[in-house]
Amino acid sequence: MMFVKCYVVVVACGWGFFHRCLVSYSGCRYHWIKRKGRPAPREVAPILVSNHVSYIDPIFYFYELFPTIVASESHDSMPFVGTIIRAMQVIYVNRFSPSSRKHAVNEIKRKGGCDRFPRVLLFPEGTTTNGRAIISFQLGAFIPGYPIQPVVVRYPHVHFDQSWGLISLGKLMFRMFTQFHNFMEVEYLPVVYPQENHKEHAIRFAEKTSHAMASALNVVQTGHSYGDLLLLMKASQSNQKNLSNYLVEMAQVESVFHINTLEAMEFLEKFLSMSPDPSGRVHFNGFLKGVKLRPCTLSKKVFEFIDLENNGYIVFKQFLCASAHVMKLPLFRQACELAFTECDTCRSNSMSLQDFRELTRPAIPDMTDEEMSELFNLFDADDDGKVSKDDFILCLRKNPLLISIFSPCLIPNKDILERL
């Protein structure tokens, strides 16, 4: 027992020394850090939330508060860092797994509600930002309903912006090392309490906390989220130059259209296949290339449906919202199944190229054999010369605007057609 106690003391002392080194050395010349306010006692606010600007943020908080943190599972594989955060009883979460998110919320609630654990620290934005806005919050910190102390960090600068964005970690550290002094400010804000009845919706609780942090920083709140960062990175990998056109305020899009980030990524892949110009615009011919259609009355109507401002071109957000709007209509799947049934007269649960041609000819009568084959191949995912019902529906989920080419066969079912 005595050995265990001594070991804990040695580890704690070593950790304190390690963090002093990090703040002075890896912290890249942070000779002093300006603080405002004080951390609330753990029994008052068991959860802290902070904006996330640099890799320095968690280093500071580890040294100052030694909290339990919530981190992405991907951090576990990072050399050295993974070992350290595991020792701090980190709560891992996979943001794309509902079961993992549920487990993380349960752990936050368990550790936040027990004085035997350190306070819990979260970066609810889910990613680093440049500090000039507060983006939408993930709700994990707010679902348990415990009082929360918001904290804000600032990095005033003249020559080099220390925020960790699309810049590589190596380049960021090099630039910070080559500055004589880097500035950092930390402000502890008043504790934000849920409503007395403890039934306040987590979204409203998050909004109150976000507003307090945005007011302290004197910045705007936006509907962007971690999903925007993923879209931005994918567009960047495709050598797009005007990346701001791929920021769609994903949190707002999710709320309105009930579409998740993975689905948005698939729509971005489709949009990029249309060869947008350097400014991120797709014109009519590029649109036709992506959806495998030819110029006709129907394809023009579909393009005009997306191009609400009648600019003669579309951007990714317009394409995403139009596609999500159609895909999430209540009768969309029913319309897909009905279109397939109209073609599958033999009830073989598949359609050939000839069947497909007969199904689409009423909407696009002038398609050549080559154009028809290209469109058919879009549906024939396994390239076996036949389109199964699952293939058909899956393709329309990825290309929901193409449901329009099957509108003639839906005319007898006007109720479905009118609600699409």
Side-chain angles (χ1 to χ4, degrees):
M1 186 67 179
M2 180 62 70
F3 170 77
V4 173
K5 289 183 178 178
C6 291
Y7 176 77
V8 171
V9 170
V10 169
V11 169
C13 292
W15 179 253
F17 173 75
F18 170 72
H19 266 100
R20 291 179 193 275
C21 292
L22 281 176
V23 171
S24 61
Y25 181 67
S26 293
C28 303
R29 301 177 180 271
Y30 289 92
H31 299 113
W32 63 88
I33 295 173
K34 182 178 178 181
R35 295 173 176 83
K36 183 178 179 181
R38 287 178 169 273
R42 191 215 177 280
E43 58 271 18
V44 174
I47 296 177
L48 291 95
V49 297
S50 171
N51 61 321
H52 196 8
V53 179
S54 170
Y55 73 94
I56 299 298
D57 309 341
I59 294 176
F60 170 82
Y61 288 126
F62 289 165
Y63 171 70
E64 180 97 333
L65 303 170
F66 202 72
T68 294
I69 68 167
V70 179
S72 170
E73 286 181 350
S74 60
H75 289 86
D76 186 67
S77 59
M78 295 176 67
F80 188 54
V81 173
T83 303
I84 294 173
I85 60 178
R86 281 196 300 275
M88 299 186 69
Q89 304 182 69
V90 64
I91 300 172
Y92 283 125
V93 60
N94 179 346
R95 70 183 80 233
F96 299 116
S97 168
S99 60
S100 176
R101 294 199 302 268
K102 183 177 180 180
H103 172 74
V105 170
N106 290 336
E107 283 296 286
I108 294 170
K109 187 173 183 179
R110 182 176 73 90
K111 293 185 176 182
C114 180
D115 290 340
R116 293 187 295 107
F117 293 102
R119 69 189 84 205
V120 181
L121 169 69
L122 298 96
F123 299 103
E125 293 172 294
T127 185
T128 53
T129 70
N130 59 16
R132 293 190 283 273
I134 291 291
I135 67 175
S136 64
F137 281 3
Q138 305 295 311
L139 299 180
F142 308 95
I143 293 174
Y146 297 137
I148 288 176
Q149 183 172 30
V151 191
V152 295
V153 294
R154 305 178 186 87
Y155 292 86
H157 64 276
V158 176
H159 303 293
F160 178 64
D161 182 356
Q162 301 152 57
S163 60
W164 189 6
L166 294 178
I167 187 174
S168 68
L169 178 59
K171 184 175 181 180
L172 176 68
M173 293 183 67
F174 175 78
R175 290 296 306 274
M176 293 169 72
F177 271 124
T178 54
Q179 288 200 133
F180 178 75
H181 178 66
N182 294 308
F183 294 90
M184 180 180 181
E185 299 176 355
V186 180
E187 181 178 358
Y188 294 93
L189 304 179
V191 175
V192 180
Y193 295 89
Q195 289 181 345
E196 291 295 326
N197 60 15
H198 202 64
K199 297 294 183 180
E200 182 174 29
H201 199 286
I203 294 177
R204 175 59 186 148
F205 192 13
E207 287 174 350
K208 287 198 308 186
T209 308
S210 174
H211 179 72
M213 295 172 66
S215 297
L217 291 168
N218 194 28
V219 298
V220 298
Q221 297 171 263
T222 76
H224 297 96
S225 73
Y226 178 73
D228 286 284
L229 176 63
L230 296 181
L231 295 171
L232 198 72
M233 292 172 63
K234 188 172 183 64
S236 176
Q237 292 167 2
S238 300
N239 298 319
Q240 293 298 302
K241 295 180 180 179
N242 193 356
L243 296 179
S244 61
N245 279 335
Y246 297 91
L247 296 173
V248 299
E249 295 194 274
M250 193 60 211
Q252 190 175 44
V253 171
E254 286 182 15
S255 175
V256 174
F257 297 106
H258 308 290
I259 179 176
N260 61 45
T261 299
L262 295 179
E263 290 173 320
M265 294 283 283
E266 291 183 350
F267 285 128
L268 176 57
E269 189 172 344
K270 171 62 65 174
F271 184 81
L272 293 174
S273 73
M274 300 175 186
S275 303
D277 63 24
S279 63
R281 300 171 176 178
V282 167
H283 295 270
F284 184 55
N285 288 337
F287 171 74
L288 295 178
K289 173 186 174 182
V291 295
K292 309 300 182 185
L293 294 179
R294 68 182 311 278
C296 64
T297 302
L298 177 66
S299 57
K300 289 179 181 178
K301 286 183 177 179
V302 174
F303 188 80
E304 290 169 359
F305 171 72
I306 307 173
D307 180 21
L308 292 176
E309 298 177 4
N310 198 28
N311 291 321
Y313 61 83
I314 59 175
V315 296
F316 174 60
K317 186 172 184 178
Q318 291 173 320
F319 177 73
L320 173 65
C321 292
S323 300
H325 171 73
V326 173
M327 186 178 71
K328 295 301 180 179
L329 287 172
L331 295 180
F332 176 75
R333 183 178 178 87
Q334 187 177 343
C336 296
E337 293 176 347
L338 180 60
F340 184 85
T341 302
E342 287 294 317
C343 178
D344 185 23
T345 55
C346 298
R347 300 295 182 265
S348 61
N349 202 36
S350 66
M351 68 171 72
S352 64
L353 175 58
Q354 182 60 35
D355 296 329
F356 188 79
R357 181 182 288 110
E358 293 301 320
L359 184 65
T360 57
R361 191 181 299 279
I364 315 176
D366 299 326
M367 288 191 77
T368 65
D369 290 343
E370 183 180 355
E371 291 170 339
M372 185 63 70
S373 295
E374 285 188 7
L375 182 58
F376 179 79
N377 290 337
L378 186 65
F379 285 81
D380 184 16
D382 51 9
D383 199 28
D384 63 352
K386 295 184 294 184
V387 175
S388 69
K389 182 177 180 179
D390 289 341
D391 288 341
F392 187 78
I393 294 175
L394 178 61
C395 182
L396 286 177
R397 283 189 59 83
K398 292 182 177 181
N399 304 271
L401 297 171
L402 289 183
I403 190 65
S404 60
I405 67 178
F406 306 108
S407 55
C409 71
L410 299 176
I411 289 177
N413 298 270
K414 291 184 178 180
D415 181 57
I416 292 178
L417 187 61
E418 289 172 358
R419 294 173 65 180
L420 277 176

